[in-house]
Amino acid sequence: MAARTTPAPLTADADLAAAFEVLGQKWNGITLHTLATRPARFGELRTAIGRTA
C-alpha cells in the first residue's frame, strides 16, 4: 500500500492579490480600462464613465 502524502498548501500570488485590491475599489477598474486607450483629463473621464454608469 502506498504511503499517503499531504499536498502542499495553496498560496495566492501576492501581485495578483494587490491588483485585485486596487481593482476591487469602486470605479478603479472602469477608470483604468478607459485610460488604457489614451491619457485623459478629469472632465473627459467623467464624461466617458458617465455614459456607462
Side-chain angles (χ1 to χ4, degrees):
M1 195 183 273
R4 180 176 249 172
T5 59
T6 305
L10 294 174
T11 58
D13 183 294
D15 292 333
L16 188 58
F20 274 97
E21 187 174 320
V22 170
L23 291 175
Q25 295 177 13
K26 188 175 184 179
W27 300 113
N28 286 357
I30 193 146
T31 301
L32 290 174
H33 183 267
T34 304
L35 289 173
T37 307
R38 65 173 177 83
R41 298 185 68 138
F42 178 78
E44 292 176 295
L45 281 173
R46 183 177 59 201
T47 301
I49 292 171
R51 283 188 252 147
T52 62

